[in-house]
Amino acid sequence: MSSKYETLVIGAGGIGAVVAYGIHYTGKSNLGIVVRGHYDKLISEGYTIDSVDYGKVDGWKPDYLYPSIEEAGKSGIEYDFVVVSTKNLPDIEKVEDLIEPVVTPSKTAVVLVQNGFDIGRPLIERFPQNIIISGVSHCGSHKYGTLVEHIQHDNAKISYFGNPNFEESALEQKTKEFISMYKNPKNDIDYFPNERWYRYRKLVYNATLNTVCALTDVDTGRLQLWGGLDEISVPAMREIVAIAKADGCDLPSDVINIVGHGDDGVYFVPSMLDDVRKGNPIELEIILGNVLRVADQLAVDAPILKVLYALLKLKQGRLKEKRGLLTVPETRPPNTKYYS
Amino acid sequence: MSSKYETLVIGAGGIGAVVAYGIHYTGKSNLGIVVRGHYDKLISEGYTIDSVDYGKVDGWKPDYLYPSIEEAGKSGIEYDFVVVSTKNLPDIEKVEDLIEPVVTPSKTAVVLVQNGFDIGRPLIERFPQNIIISGVSHCGSHKYGTLVEHIQHDNAKISYFGNPNFEESALEQKTKEFISMYKNPKNDIDYFPNERWYRYRKLVYNATLNTVCALTDVDTGRLQLWGGLDEISVPAMREIVAIAKADGCDLPSDVINIVGHGDDGVYFVPSMLDDVRKGNPIELEIILGNVLRVADQLAVDAPILKVLYALLKLKQGRLKEKRGLLTVPETRPPNTKYYS
């Protein structure tokens, strides 16, 4: 290993740009970023960052910029860390397909700074000899073109996804290496020993408020005022708590109360509703589909979440169709099924 | 009673206009219509009707036109029949409040040519000495200004709502009087002995496909192609069938198959989705709320329908808010509830 790590960040939206800048700030890694838009402007002018943690930064450029993952793969660099902070939409594009060109077997650790539950599994299946790391970010940041507006302190919990091909100690050591390369005096990047527990904890909100708001076009304030928190989201939270428990993750006894009050005082638009309002596909599979597949394996009942999932699959179909990602035949095909 | 009946039609949209013209055609009643828009133009030019049943009719006027129900009430006429074909939105405006000025106690029969279930109950409570009649229309017709495009044969089932203050024979006789005044060689207006059964039969579609399509922005073709018919609507149909059975209404054993195939071959946009797309409030209470209140009374489980209802109440809140019918406080109010 050279004196510096080699790191590639894929999906430098608001959060990804802050992660990249945090790694740059720490100075322990050469850093490449794969950008999807504004490549030429970034090559000439760099990023403008207005950050709650790092202040105003003009014209910042990482060591390398790539217009695509394929180009990053052709660089010849064998990455120590590939950080993925794209939206996680396996029904449209699988992360394990996306990153294939930049993963060196037995070397590259892949860090998923993404929403959702059980997102490590398909990567471990595809890259069984690579360590997969979980990053749950509580940072708030938005990107507009080459401008990054970082408005909420960078604060993340980093864990490893369990992988039977490695000793736990090796997984833990690699995870802490990643933290040492990212953690700096301006951010709070901490090791958390149980990714699954932490991601169940986040689902208590995301699977129950985020989903209902996305279906009904209400923010979390209206959700509560108009009865939906009591009638749907809180009963759905109990289902998440039960699935987690059956999976060996005991959530705190007051978790439902804490999540129920998490947005007190504000009419908050959660991410899935924000996506629906923008006409973007929603992160449905990783927020709801994956946990329901685990519930089925564990034979835990989740009747409300199942209805929400079935409804949101339809909504997702419509969102994809409007983006040209899905079509239906011009004439409705014959249907010979007998319904009873 | 004079040689002719006195009839008033309230809510002359597409269907109401066809009902009114059918009554006119039969010639047994003086006829008034309460219009909500285009009053001056109708007074001077009348309706233009392009009808699958009656052909082209230019400049048709009923005996009386009123700009409001209050004006119709001031006419001094004691109506034999008041036909209501407005949307039924009790969470916004109750039919029993709306028609109060034109109902003569112990005389006027009120005919509800409207969607939904258990819609007679609040009228019988308000007007216990009046007969309330049920009309379920299968007519297809749209109104644009003063133009009526009647595209699907006028075909309706007429029944009475049970009322303990009357002999069944009196209810039946009045209902058949109404039919005799409306049925003509061009339409198919038939007596049906059990309004509750017939309205449960319609709910098998309306409570299960209409609702899911409205929530997810898909038509009934996409609903089937993308799995929602199997995963939500058909299981929800079983809940309607169970509620109906507990209420003494046995639906045919193949009703779910028939309804599941009801829109075969077309990508059909059901009424509630059409309302959502137009930003109109939805007929939620009469399509879903009323039947769930009956299910509670009968202690029949309806878990899927209950989730759909809770979600659609939120959607309805949003639709009302966008129409200025509902507001939320500018600052989200404190919430002291403990969630567990």
Side-chain angles (χ1 to χ4, degrees):
Chain A
M1 190 181 294
S2 75
S3 58
K4 281 196 172 188
Y5 295 107
E6 293 289 346
T7 301
L8 182 71
V9 174
I10 298 171
I15 306 293
V18 170
V19 176
Y21 193 78
I23 291 169
H24 158 80
Y25 194 91
T26 302
K28 296 185 180 167
S29 180
N30 294 315
L31 179 66
I33 297 180
V34 177
V35 301
R36 283 208 176 174
H38 309 281
Y39 174 74
D40 291 335
K41 192 170 178 196
L42 285 168
I43 283 285
S44 61
E45 299 174 25
Y47 287 96
T48 302
I49 302 175
D50 188 353
S51 166
V52 68
D53 291 341
Y54 302 104
K56 292 221 174 206
V57 182
D58 263 335
W60 175 65
K61 296 177 195 175
D63 302 296
Y64 312 103
L65 282 164
Y66 302 103
S68 69
I69 295 173
E70 287 64 34
E71 288 303 312
K74 287 178 195 158
S75 68
I77 297 171
E78 296 199 337
Y79 294 103
D80 297 294
F81 298 102
V82 167
V83 178
V84 185
S85 55
T86 56
K87 289 251 171 192
N88 194 323
L89 300 163
D91 50 329
I92 295 173
E93 185 172 49
K94 294 183 194 309
V95 172
E96 59 273 26
D97 293 336
L98 194 72
I99 65 173
E100 186 120 49
V102 292
V103 174
T104 304
S106 303
K107 175 175 177 76
T108 307
V110 179
V111 186
L112 302 179
V113 182
Q114 296 181 306
N115 239 326
F117 175 78
D118 211 16
I119 60 176
R121 184 194 302 253
L123 280 96
I124 290 166
E125 283 170 11
R126 179 72 63 87
F127 309 111
Q129 299 309 324
N130 292 71
I131 292 172
I132 315 295
I133 294 172
S134 163
V136 175
S137 173
H138 301 275
C139 168
S141 176
H142 302 280
K143 193 168 75 71
Y144 309 94
T146 63
L147 170 69
V148 178
E149 289 196 349
H150 175 203
I151 53 175
Q152 204 177 314
H153 180 52
D154 189 14
N155 164 10
K157 299 292 182 200
I158 312 294
S159 317
Y160 58 82
F161 290 102
N163 181 338
N165 303 312
F166 290 89
E167 299 286 336
E168 299 278 322
S169 60
L171 294 167
E172 182 173 337
Q173 189 197 322
K174 181 63 83 179
T175 303
K176 289 182 169 172
E177 255 181 71
F178 174 72
I179 293 171
S180 76
M181 191 196 68
Y182 173 22
K183 188 181 180 81
N184 63 49
K186 304 290 189 183
N187 63 22
D188 281 296
I189 311 302
D190 297 312
Y191 179 73
F192 192 88
N194 189 338
E195 68 76 21
R196 205 158 176 88
W197 186 97
Y198 205 77
R199 286 179 179 273
Y200 269 122
R201 172 64 183 76
K202 274 204 87 176
L203 277 193
V204 178
Y205 182 97
N206 276 333
T208 68
L209 281 94
N210 213 348
T211 51
V212 172
C213 292
L215 268 172
T216 58
D217 190 33
V218 304
D219 53 54
T220 58
R222 286 166 173 79
L223 178 75
Q224 178 240 317
L225 289 173
W226 294 346
L229 186 59
D230 283 313
E231 291 186 39
I232 326 174
S233 298
V234 164
M237 287 181 205
R238 293 188 199 115
E239 296 181 359
I240 293 289
V241 169
I243 300 166
K245 189 179 175 67
D247 200 11
C249 295
D250 280 320
L251 297 176
S253 61
D254 60 349
V255 67
I256 290 174
N257 190 52
I258 288 170
V259 172
H261 287 286
D263 296 335
D264 271 7
V266 289
Y267 293 104
F268 183 74
V269 175
S271 63
M272 204 182 260
L273 173 58
D274 189 49
D275 279 329
V276 168
R277 287 186 177 169
K278 288 175 176 158
N280 293 333
I282 53 179
E283 291 187 292
L284 176 60
E285 293 307 322
I286 57 144
I287 284 178
L288 210 42
N290 285 355
V291 73
L292 283 172
R293 283 179 279 274
V294 169
D296 273 349
Q297 285 157 14
L298 299 170
V300 180
D301 239 22
I304 295 172
L305 293 172
K306 278 190 178 166
V307 174
L308 295 177
Y309 180 49
L311 291 168
L312 283 166
K313 277 193 282 184
L314 298 170
K315 188 100 180 168
Q316 178 81 320
R318 198 74 181 123
L319 291 164
K320 286 190 203 169
E321 190 182 18
K322 286 180 175 172
R323 281 285 161 90
L325 298 165
L326 183 65
T327 55
V328 294
E330 198 168 323
T331 302
R332 185 174 165 188
N335 172 21
T336 56
K337 178 155 185 173
Y338 189 87
Y339 298 103
S340 61
Chain B
M1 189 182 290
S2 74
S3 59
K4 281 195 172 190
Y5 295 108
E6 293 289 345
T7 301
L8 182 70
V9 173
I10 297 171
I15 307 293
V18 171
V19 176
Y21 194 78
I23 291 169
H24 158 80
Y25 193 91
T26 303
K28 296 185 180 168
S29 181
N30 293 315
L31 178 67
I33 297 181
V34 177
V35 301
R36 283 207 175 175
H38 310 281
Y39 175 74
D40 291 334
K41 191 170 179 199
L42 286 169
I43 284 285
S44 61
E45 300 174 24
Y47 287 96
T48 302
I49 301 175
D50 189 353
S51 167
V52 68
D53 290 340
Y54 303 105
K56 292 221 175 205
V57 181
D58 264 334
W60 176 65
K61 295 178 195 174
D63 301 297
Y64 313 102
L65 282 162
Y66 302 103
S68 70
I69 295 172
E70 288 64 33
E71 288 303 311
K74 286 178 197 159
S75 68
I77 296 171
E78 297 199 336
Y79 294 102
D80 297 294
F81 297 102
V82 167
V83 178
V84 185
S85 54
T86 57
K87 289 251 173 194
N88 193 323
L89 300 163
D91 51 330
I92 295 172
E93 185 173 49
K94 295 184 193 307
V95 172
E96 59 273 27
D97 293 336
L98 193 74
I99 66 172
E100 185 120 51
V102 292
V103 175
T104 304
S106 304
K107 175 174 176 77
T108 306
V110 179
V111 186
L112 302 179
V113 182
Q114 297 181 305
N115 239 327
F117 175 78
D118 210 16
I119 60 175
R121 185 194 302 252
L123 279 96
I124 290 165
E125 283 170 11
R126 178 71 65 88
F127 309 110
Q129 299 309 323
N130 292 70
I131 291 172
I132 315 296
I133 294 172
S134 164
V136 175
S137 174
H138 301 275
C139 166
S141 177
H142 303 280
K143 192 169 76 72
Y144 309 93
T146 62
L147 170 69
V148 178
E149 287 195 351
H150 175 203
I151 54 176
Q152 204 177 314
H153 180 53
D154 189 14
N155 163 10
K157 299 292 181 198
I158 313 294
S159 317
Y160 58 82
F161 290 103
N163 182 336
N165 303 312
F166 290 89
E167 299 286 336
E168 300 277 320
S169 60
L171 295 167
E172 181 173 337
Q173 189 197 323
K174 180 64 80 175
T175 303
K176 290 183 170 173
E177 254 180 71
F178 174 72
I179 293 170
S180 77
M181 190 197 70
Y182 173 22
K183 188 182 179 80
N184 64 49
K186 304 288 188 181
N187 62 22
D188 280 296
I189 311 303
D190 297 311
Y191 179 73
F192 192 87
N194 188 338
E195 69 77 22
R196 205 158 177 90
W197 187 97
Y198 205 78
R199 287 179 178 273
Y200 270 121
R201 173 64 183 75
K202 273 204 89 176
L203 278 192
V204 179
Y205 182 98
N206 276 331
T208 68
L209 281 95
N210 213 347
T211 52
V212 172
C213 292
L215 268 171
T216 58
D217 190 32
V218 304
D219 53 54
T220 57
R222 286 166 173 80
L223 178 75
Q224 178 241 319
L225 289 173
W226 295 344
L229 186 60
D230 282 313
E231 291 186 39
I232 327 173
S233 298
V234 164
M237 286 181 205
R238 293 187 199 116
E239 296 180 359
I240 293 291
V241 169
I243 300 166
K245 189 179 174 69
D247 200 10
C249 295
D250 280 320
L251 297 176
S253 61
D254 60 349
V255 67
I256 290 176
N257 189 52
I258 288 170
V259 172
H261 288 285
D263 296 336
D264 271 8
V266 289
Y267 293 104
F268 184 73
V269 175
S271 65
M272 205 182 259
L273 173 58
D274 188 49
D275 279 330
V276 169
R277 288 186 176 169
K278 289 175 176 158
N280 293 333
I282 53 178
E283 292 187 293
L284 175 60
E285 293 306 324
I286 57 143
I287 283 179
L288 209 43
N290 285 355
V291 73
L292 284 171
R293 283 180 278 275
V294 169
D296 273 349
Q297 286 157 13
L298 299 172
V300 180
D301 239 21
I304 296 172
L305 293 172
K306 277 190 176 164
V307 174
L308 295 177
Y309 181 49
L311 291 167
L312 283 166
K313 278 194 283 188
L314 298 170
K315 188 100 182 169
Q316 178 81 319
R318 198 76 180 120
L319 290 165
K320 284 190 205 170
E321 191 182 16
K322 287 181 173 172
R323 282 285 162 92
L325 297 166
L326 183 64
T327 55
V328 294
E330 198 169 323
T331 302
R332 186 174 163 188
N335 172 21
T336 57
K337 177 155 187 173
Y338 189 86
Y339 297 104
S340 62

